[in-house]
Amino acid sequence: MVVKDKEAARQVKSTSAIHRLVEDLIRDSMEKGEFNNLGGEGKPLTRTDYNPLVDTTTHNINKILINNGYAPEWITLNAEVRKLIRKARENLQKERQKFGAEPFSYHKQKGWDKAVADFDVTVRNLNKKIDKLNMIVPTIRQQLPHMSDTREVRRVMENYVHKDIDEKACASTTDIQELPREQKSGGLLSEMFSKVGQKLADKVFRDKNTESR
């Protein structure tokens, strides 16, 4: 145990000594001006994203493709995956609209279960493509999370709005808004006829009194 501690302490001292030596050499070179007028001085460093999971040959090929205006595999695969995700969600939404409001009948439930099972297969295939994409993207920030079939189905079920119900609700709202106007219009007409009738009755009464005199 004591021997191991001595060896560890010796390694630490050696490492520290090397670090100090390197720092002294760098400082000495800076004082002599050996770092002045270097190539690329004052220019930004060229940033290259390197994925440690990609072999050197693939990395160099991607770099050549980018420099010549071609998109590497991860860019085209990223666009393909996003397009497939959007299409899968749209198809699931369309399937949900076919079966109407809940509760489902026996046949509708079987149809919906089949649609969910087909969607599950689509999601599994999509997640395989996402795994491949995440292995070849240059940085972790460009990776995509897996698609969850359970979460997508729940979202579609919760956000479902039956078209007929929505239209009836809009019609009912319109009727309610227009009803007071009709009642008000009817009341105004009744009042007008009442006043006209009263004036006619008064005129007839006055005419009769005149004749009797």
Side-chain angles (χ1 to χ4, degrees):
M1 185 68 179
V2 176
V3 175
K4 291 182 179 181
D5 292 340
K6 288 183 178 180
E7 290 178 356
R10 191 180 298 110
Q11 290 179 357
V12 171
K13 289 181 180 179
S14 300
T15 303
S16 300
I18 293 172
H19 287 170
R20 286 196 299 272
L21 177 61
V22 171
E23 289 177 359
D24 292 341
L25 290 173
I26 293 173
R27 189 179 298 108
D28 185 54
S29 297
M30 291 175 65
E31 291 175 354
K32 291 179 180 179
E34 295 178 359
F35 293 153
N36 296 338
N37 300 321
L38 294 176
E41 182 180 6
K43 298 180 180 179
L45 295 175
T46 303
R47 179 179 176 181
T48 56
D49 294 323
Y50 179 72
N51 185 353
L53 300 177
V54 175
D55 59 275
T56 307
T57 303
T58 303
H59 173 75
N60 292 335
I61 291 174
N62 287 339
K63 188 175 180 181
I64 293 171
L65 290 173
I66 294 173
N67 292 338
N68 287 275
Y70 294 94
E73 182 185 7
W74 70 269
I75 291 181
T76 55
L77 183 58
N78 183 287
E80 178 187 354
V81 167
R82 292 181 182 276
K83 182 178 180 180
L84 290 174
I85 290 175
R86 184 168 58 253
K87 184 177 180 181
R89 287 172 173 168
E90 290 175 355
N91 290 340
L92 183 64
Q93 183 69 33
K94 290 178 181 178
E95 288 294 326
R96 178 63 188 89
Q97 290 293 338
K98 290 181 182 178
F99 298 101
E102 295 183 274
F104 295 151
S105 65
Y106 173 77
H107 294 291
K108 285 186 176 182
Q109 186 63 54
K110 287 186 64 177
W112 175 243
D113 291 342
K114 184 180 182 304
V116 171
D118 293 340
F119 180 75
D120 180 63
V121 174
T122 301
V123 169
R124 285 203 300 269
N125 293 331
L126 257 172
N127 286 335
K128 291 179 181 179
K129 288 183 177 291
I130 291 174
D131 287 337
K132 181 181 178 181
L133 173 66
N134 291 341
M135 291 289 289
I136 62 177
V137 292
T139 62
I140 295 178
R141 290 179 300 175
Q142 291 165 314
Q143 292 181 342
L144 295 179
H146 271 187
M147 194 175 184
S148 171
D149 56 335
T150 304
R151 183 169 59 249
E152 294 293 334
V153 171
R154 183 172 64 248
R155 182 179 62 83
V156 168
M157 295 294 289
E158 291 176 352
N159 295 338
Y160 171 77
V161 177
H162 198 286
K163 291 183 179 180
D164 294 339
I165 295 176
D166 192 39
E167 291 175 358
K168 289 179 181 178
C170 293
S172 300
T173 304
T174 304
D175 293 341
I176 292 173
Q177 291 176 348
E178 293 180 352
L179 185 59
R181 189 187 306 169
E182 294 175 357
Q183 289 179 346
K184 184 177 181 181
S185 177
L188 180 61
L189 290 173
S190 299
E191 186 177 353
M192 290 175 62
F193 283 122
S194 177
K195 289 182 178 180
V196 171
Q198 184 65 39
K199 288 182 178 180
L200 288 173
D202 292 342
K203 186 176 184 302
V204 170
F205 179 76
R206 286 197 300 271
D207 291 343
K208 285 184 178 181
N209 288 339
T210 303
E211 291 176 357
S212 62
R213 291 176 186 177

